[in-house]
Amino acid sequence: MASTMRSMSRILTRTSRSALSPIEHTAALRNPTASFLRATSISSSSSNAGIRRSFSTSPMCLRARTMGQLKARHSTGPFSWKAALLFVLTGGGMIIYFRIEKERLERKRIAEMSKGVGKPKVGGPFTLKDLDGKEFTAEDLKGRYSFVYFGFTHCPDICPDELDKMAEIIDKVKEATKGENVFLPVFITCDPARDTPEVLRAYLKEFHPGIIGLTGTYDEVKHVCKQYRVYFSTPRDIKPGEDYLVDHSIYFYLMDPDNDFVECIGRQDTPESATRTIMEHINDWKREGKPLKKD
């Protein structure tokens, strides 16, 4: 029995020597049984501590969320009001863009249809005189959007009403373009016998100083009316002092900087709607990066 206890003591001494302090080592030699129980207790404590440590190293970040945060996440899901607002604004912007682009392409299509194959349907070369007696041709209309109206100074009511509208349109377009000189209003008489440069100057001055007046011989006026598809009934051979009536088409002809016809403005149009139409075409031209004469 004594030899068995001594062998056990040696084994315990070797296995627990590194874990025991010098004092404990001496005690183990004196009392092998107590040392065996103490080593067993130490081993068990170390094992339990390891188990506790393995549980204590669980991540603490799961406990960091409050109940309010969890409820908010559960109620909104992966989306937020900011994401919803961005989605609505982006969708609305795309709808507006495509609508504007569709209208622009439609205006361009109509303008292209108005141009003839080889010869324009409305507009063309002509030669007249301005109020200073200088030659004025269709080339002088190029570089800007021109607004051409045919009338006569003895018109009792229609021409004054339309020229009042024209004056208002001139001011509105100038305001919309911030003073850019890209719009050229032109008045061409259908009654060259009575509408001399002096008569036209005094007449147009009553409506707007920016209107350019043009006149010419009967054949020159007839030719330009034919180019613009304007009907007029002025007789050819007029005796001095003879009274007569003049009938003509009542339209404003909007021509682009290439002197191609793009739009008709009629009596049904208001200054506001006419200005809106004109500015749509001017802005389309600018958007395409085409040059405009401003001097």
Side-chain angles (χ1 to χ4, degrees):
M1 181 69 178
S3 62
T4 302
M5 293 299 293
R6 280 195 297 273
S7 299
M8 186 180 296
S9 175
R10 284 193 212 95
I11 294 169
L12 290 173
T13 300
R14 284 196 298 268
T15 56
S16 62
R17 182 174 296 165
S18 60
L20 297 175
S21 63
I23 298 174
E24 290 172 333
H25 180 64
T26 304
L29 294 175
R30 293 177 182 175
N31 194 347
T33 304
S35 298
F36 174 77
L37 294 175
R38 188 179 298 109
T40 305
S41 175
I42 291 171
S43 176
S44 176
S45 298
S46 300
S47 177
N48 290 336
I51 294 171
R52 285 195 299 273
R53 280 195 298 272
S54 65
F55 282 106
S56 65
T57 55
S58 300
M60 298 298 293
C61 60
L62 295 176
R63 305 177 202 168
R65 296 186 180 278
T66 64
M67 291 301 295
Q69 290 173 327
L70 293 174
K71 289 180 180 179
R73 180 182 176 85
H74 178 72
S75 61
T76 60
F79 298 102
S80 65
W81 67 268
K82 292 181 179 179
L85 180 61
L86 180 61
F87 176 79
V88 171
L89 291 177
T90 302
M94 291 181 66
I95 291 172
I96 293 172
Y97 170 78
F98 285 117
R99 183 177 297 172
I100 292 174
E101 188 66 11
K102 181 180 178 181
E103 293 174 352
R104 184 186 71 82
L105 292 175
E106 181 65 17
R107 288 192 296 270
K108 187 174 182 180
R109 184 185 67 83
I110 294 173
E112 290 294 330
M113 289 175 61
S114 300
K115 300 176 184 179
V117 178
K119 182 179 180 181
K121 293 181 179 179
V122 177
F126 65 84
T127 301
L128 295 172
K129 293 288 194 308
D130 65 14
L131 301 185
D132 295 324
K134 296 179 181 179
E135 187 177 87
F136 191 101
T137 70
E139 292 298 314
D140 295 310
L141 297 179
K142 291 186 176 181
R144 301 182 181 91
Y145 272 87
S146 54
F147 200 50
V148 183
Y149 181 75
F150 293 81
F152 63 108
T153 60
H154 285 71
C155 184
D157 49 12
I158 295 177
C159 286
D161 291 343
E162 294 302 284
L163 286 174
D164 279 334
K165 182 195 295 185
M166 189 181 202
E168 205 169 335
I169 292 170
I170 294 170
D171 291 336
K172 288 183 178 296
V173 170
K174 188 173 183 179
E175 181 181 357
T177 57
K178 298 180 180 180
E180 290 182 328
N181 188 23
V182 296
F183 186 63
L184 194 65
V186 177
F187 178 92
I188 300 176
T189 181
C190 294
D191 186 11
R194 290 182 295 194
D195 291 344
T196 62
E198 293 75 17
V199 172
L200 268 180
R201 181 180 286 106
Y203 181 74
L204 295 177
K205 189 176 180 181
E206 296 179 4
F207 298 97
H208 199 285
I211 301 175
I212 297 174
L214 299 178
T215 187
T217 65
Y218 180 88
D219 289 331
E220 289 171 344
V221 170
K222 183 178 180 179
H223 172 74
V224 70
C225 287
K226 185 177 180 180
Q227 294 287 74
Y228 281 82
R229 306 301 186 262
V230 173
Y231 164 77
F232 80 112
S233 63
T234 308
R236 174 183 289 274
D237 298 319
I238 305 297
K239 296 179 181 179
E242 182 180 352
D243 192 18
Y244 56 92
L245 298 176
V246 176
D247 191 15
H248 62 90
S249 303
I250 306 168
Y251 288 107
F252 291 98
Y253 297 89
L254 181 64
M255 314 295 288
D256 70 14
D258 290 333
N259 202 25
D260 290 323
F261 170 78
V262 292
E263 194 90 28
C264 261
I265 304 296
R267 297 192 68 189
Q268 73 280 1
D269 290 290
T270 64
E272 291 75 18
S273 65
T275 301
R276 186 166 53 251
T277 299
I278 294 166
M279 289 307 304
E280 286 173 349
H281 286 287
I282 292 176
N283 291 331
D284 288 347
W285 188 273
K286 290 180 177 179
R287 194 177 292 114
E288 293 178 5
K290 297 179 180 179
L292 279 168
K293 187 189 295 184
K294 300 179 181 180
D295 53 351

